[in-house]
Amino acid sequence: MIRGWYTGASGMTAQQNRLDVISNNLANVDTTGFKRDTAVSKNFSELLIRRTRNDGVYKTPFGSADAAPIIGKLGLGVETNEAFTDFSQGSYKETTSTTDMALSGKGFFTVLTPQGERYTRNGNFMIGKEGLLETKEGYPVLGEKGTIYVADTRFFVDKDGIIYDSEDMREIERFKTVRFENERYLKKQGSSLYYETDISGPAYIAEGEQRPVFLQGFVETSNVNVVNEMVRMIEVNRAYEANQKTVQAQDSMMSVLWSKTASLRG
């Protein structure tokens, strides 16, 4: 019975973690470039149950062996394994602003932060006081030669991410767009920023067919589907209540057992 408490409690904890992830997805449904997370759970090792009767053991010249048939398996609970980020493409929203960029395909913009280079799908940029192209948080956007200096909004970006001066079509810079071997293992830092891990591998410049297409005057919306997230929230609430009732049932049975034991001893 005590095992039943732990099994039910582990299920409640896992559902609470799922609810936290879903709530964060819904809170960022209007965040540019946001990628939804999914809580991934795994079960504890299962216990193999066998019948323990005398006829389940047979004699051999070397001793005895267990011939009892398998009754089944007993689940020992569940735990949250990871929060998996879904990097599927979001839809596009037209802004007509020359400083806004969207990527069509896999890849990330590179920005410079106090912690080093970070990566984002949020192309909602602006021009800073010094004429640098920056994020809304004030982090400079990087080109392949360094920070991008555009001075004003009179610039043009082609599909390959090359920035030109609109007046004389002089090439200014090329966006530093990167890819990863295992992008699903990138970690979120906040403000739509990601950083690499040992498992994701280092960032490398996206070239050729691996390079995404640039869309100037557009931003990528989040890939959160509100209806799907609300359905998942209902599923989580029901699963949480089911585990809660399991714990309550186990508690009732243990209470009866204790009361019966106390009455027999009395």
Side-chain angles (χ1 to χ4, degrees):
M1 293 185 201
I2 294 178
R3 179 180 294 160
W5 280 345
Y6 287 110
T7 301
S10 69
M12 293 172 67
T13 302
Q15 298 306 322
Q16 181 62 56
N17 293 334
R18 286 187 62 195
L19 184 61
D20 292 341
V21 170
I22 293 172
S23 300
N24 185 61
N25 290 340
L26 290 173
N28 288 279
V29 67
D30 293 324
T31 301
T32 303
F34 178 81
K35 300 301 180 183
R36 62 178 294 271
D37 291 324
T38 302
V40 180
S41 301
K42 67 178 181 180
N43 65 308
F44 293 135
S45 300
E46 294 178 327
L47 178 64
L48 187 65
I49 305 174
R50 288 181 175 271
R51 191 171 61 194
T52 55
R53 294 182 180 175
N54 291 332
D55 60 0
V57 177
Y58 63 90
K59 300 292 184 179
T60 69
F62 308 101
S64 62
D66 183 12
I70 298 173
I71 295 177
K73 293 183 178 180
L74 177 65
L76 299 180
V78 66
E79 67 176 348
T80 301
N81 193 23
E82 65 171 329
F84 166 71
T85 302
D86 176 12
F87 283 102
S88 61
Q89 183 81 52
S91 58
Y92 303 113
K93 178 181 178 182
E94 186 174 6
T95 65
T96 67
S97 174
T98 57
T99 58
D100 285 337
M101 306 290 160
L103 298 178
S104 176
K106 294 183 177 181
F108 298 85
F109 297 106
T110 307
V111 300
L112 184 62
T113 72
Q115 294 79 32
E117 291 188 359
R118 293 295 184 264
Y119 314 98
T120 183
R121 293 282 298 191
N122 186 349
N124 187 205
F125 302 137
M126 59 180 290
I127 298 177
K129 294 180 179 179
E130 299 179 356
L132 297 177
L133 192 64
E134 300 176 345
T135 65
K136 294 299 183 182
E137 293 76 25
Y139 301 136
V141 183
L142 294 181
E144 295 181 353
K145 298 177 183 178
T147 55
I148 301 174
Y149 178 79
V150 290
D152 53 44
T153 58
R154 291 176 295 181
F155 65 91
F156 167 74
V157 180
D158 67 6
K159 294 183 178 180
D160 193 48
I162 300 176
I163 307 170
Y164 298 92
D165 190 305
S166 297
E167 295 183 351
D168 55 10
M169 293 305 292
R170 173 179 54 86
E171 182 177 329
I172 299 175
E173 179 59 285
R174 185 178 188 235
F175 278 98
K176 183 178 180 180
T177 311
V178 300
R179 293 280 302 273
F180 298 87
E181 291 295 334
N182 298 295
E183 65 180 18
R184 64 160 291 182
Y185 294 107
L186 291 172
K187 291 295 185 182
K188 288 186 175 181
Q189 177 176 301
S191 301
S192 299
L193 299 178
Y194 299 87
Y195 61 92
E196 63 187 45
T197 64
D198 293 337
I199 305 177
S200 71
Y204 64 90
I205 302 295
E207 296 287 0
E209 295 182 354
Q210 289 192 330
R211 191 170 179 85
V213 175
F214 282 73
L215 302 174
Q216 187 177 18
F218 291 82
V219 292
E220 182 184 2
T221 62
S222 72
N223 62 354
V224 177
N225 185 304
V226 177
V227 175
N228 290 342
E229 295 300 321
M230 292 301 296
V231 170
R232 293 188 182 97
M233 182 174 288
I234 295 172
E235 292 175 350
V236 167
N237 287 331
R238 290 178 177 176
Y240 186 92
E241 290 175 358
N243 282 283
Q244 188 178 40
K245 291 178 179 179
T246 299
V247 174
Q248 292 173 346
Q250 295 288 334
D251 183 64
S252 299
M253 288 189 291
M254 185 63 75
S255 178
V256 171
L257 176 62
W258 286 340
S259 61
K260 292 291 184 181
T261 302
S263 62
L264 290 174
R265 286 190 174 184

